[in-house]
Amino acid sequence: MTLNSKTRQIEIQNPDGSKFLIGAGDCTVIAGPCSVESKEIFLETAQTVKSSGASILRGGLHKLRTSPDAFQGLGRDAYRLAQEVKEELGLPFITEITDPRQVEELSDLADLFQVGSRNMYNYALLSELGKTSKPILLKRAFSATVDEWIGAARYIEKEGNSQIILCERGIRTFDRTLRNTLDLGAVAYLKAETDYPVFVDPSHACGRRDLVIPLAKAAQAVGADGIMIEAHPNPDEALSDGPQSLTLSQLKDLMQAILLS
Ligand code: PEP
Ligand code: MN
């Protein structure tokens, strides 16, 4: 990948104190389950995340689901097990924050905060995150223009935190063939016109695990600074987003494809 010399670099700290940079030219991979479901499943997934060479572990604790009857995540009950897995594997951890009141309670556990698509317009949450010193991965709302997305980033920046990563995760268009439409044009545009590091989440974009690897390669080709991938030891049994979750063997294949190019 050609290094965009303008890209602002974001320092990520590993649990052992060592550091690496996002936006310095490598394609950083964030991987893990959509939701943390149990210690056993999370640990098994995290072991493959680590051994395959991905650098950041993901796992949803507070889930915002379209239906209030769907699994809402384990919430606070899983903070401790997530902490144990993160420390055992030595990987930095990212999780979605859904309420300003979680900033404090997640401060030890989360090394990066994820703002989900449904909260991109939650300006109270964005302003609160602007007062923290953690990197923020800001997902694009599924019907946001690029300008609205940049506006959301500026709410965070205005409070003093400029460690922002934009993450394209597919938008809602007239075409409902796939879960969403992956807007790689927006990624190329943001790389050309802004200094934000830009990630792509092909999992939520397409909703089908067989299409995740080709879209991840496309994201890398267009200059993404990283990708976010959902994976699960037994995706058909996953409590959320199973159809788009890679098996652990597919996660290894994806990492080979990304690391080799
Ligand atoms: C997720 O990453 O699990 C998620 C809910 O993503 P999004 O906010 O993009 O729908
Ligand atoms: Mn998900």
Side-chain angles (χ1 to χ4, degrees), residues 121-156:
Y121 295 106
N122 184 342
Y123 299 132
L125 177 63
L126 299 175
S127 296
E128 206 54 40
L129 292 170
K131 295 176 194 146
T132 73
S133 55
K134 303 236 165 149
I136 312 295
L137 182 120
L138 177 63
K139 287 192 154 195
R140 182 184 188 177
F142 44 73
S143 53
T145 64
V146 170
D147 263 4
E148 289 168 340
W149 190 12
I150 293 173
R154 294 193 53 239
Y155 268 89
I156 301 171

Side-chain angles (χ1 to χ4, degrees), residues 34 63 204 230 241 244:
C34 178
K63 300 300 297 180
H204 290 85
E230 287 185 340
D241 287 346
Q244 69 197 31

Side-chain angles (χ1 to χ4, degrees), residues 114-117 120 137-146 149 165-173 180-191 196-206 215-216 219 222 224-229:
Q114 174 176 333
V115 177
S117 190
M120 192 208 85
L137 182 120
L138 177 63
K139 287 192 154 195
R140 182 184 188 177
F142 44 73
S143 53
T145 64
V146 170
W149 190 12
I165 301 157
L166 299 179
C167 181
E168 159 64 27
R169 46 78 75 205
I171 51 173
R172 186 170 288 173
T173 66
N180 291 290
T181 299
L182 180 58
D183 186 3
L184 289 179
V187 178
Y189 169 84
L190 290 164
K191 292 300 300 173
Y196 294 110
V198 185
F199 275 42
V200 170
D201 168 353
S203 307
H204 290 85
C206 70
L215 291 184
V222 86
D225 298 285
I227 53 175
M228 172 177 262
I229 301 290

Side-chain angles (χ1 to χ4, degrees), residues 83 86-87 103-111 113 134:
Q83 183 84 38
K86 159 186 151 166
E87 278 167 15
V103 167
E104 203 175 323
E105 66 185 43
L106 284 171
S107 65
D108 285 340
L109 175 57
D111 300 286
F113 287 124
K134 303 236 165 149

